[in-house]
Amino acid sequence: MKQFLSALMQDKNGQYSLRELAVCILLIALLVAWIAQQFYNKAIPESMFFTLASLVAAGCFGYSMERRQVTENN
C-alpha cells in the first residue's frame, strides 16, 4: 500500500511533484464534501463541487500534457 501511494505522488520522470499532492488533497476534499451532503444532509454549495472537480481535472490534464525528459548520455 505504501508503494502504491508513493507511486501516486510521482510524475512521469519519477520525481515527487506537488501537483500530484494537490490533486490528491482536492480529490479527498471532493469525496468528503460529497459524503457529507449525501449521507449527513450537510448543505454544501454546488459551486464547491464544480470548483474542486475542475481543479482535479486541471491537474489530470496537466499530467497528460507533461512529457518525459530525455537525457542524452554522451
Side-chain angles (χ1 to χ4, degrees):
M1 185 70 164
K2 185 177 179 181
Q3 289 177 342
F4 174 73
L5 293 175
S6 177
L8 281 179
M9 297 300 148
Q10 294 178 352
D11 61 6
K12 290 184 179 180
N13 295 320
Q15 304 295 320
Y16 291 102
S17 175
L18 287 177
R19 179 184 60 213
E20 278 76 13
L21 178 65
V23 169
C24 203
I25 290 171
L26 290 169
L27 188 60
I28 291 169
L30 183 65
L31 287 173
V32 167
W34 178 77
I35 289 170
Q37 185 170 9
Q38 291 295 317
F39 300 111
Y40 297 107
N41 296 324
K42 300 290 182 187
I44 306 295
E46 190 175 88
S47 61
M48 181 178 160
F49 287 113
F50 293 135
T51 302
L52 291 174
S54 297
L55 289 171
V56 169
C60 294
F61 179 72
Y63 183 81
S64 67
M65 295 296 290
E66 181 180 299
R67 295 185 182 181
R68 274 184 205 251
Q69 289 181 342
V70 178
T71 57
E72 296 180 16
N73 295 332
N74 291 332

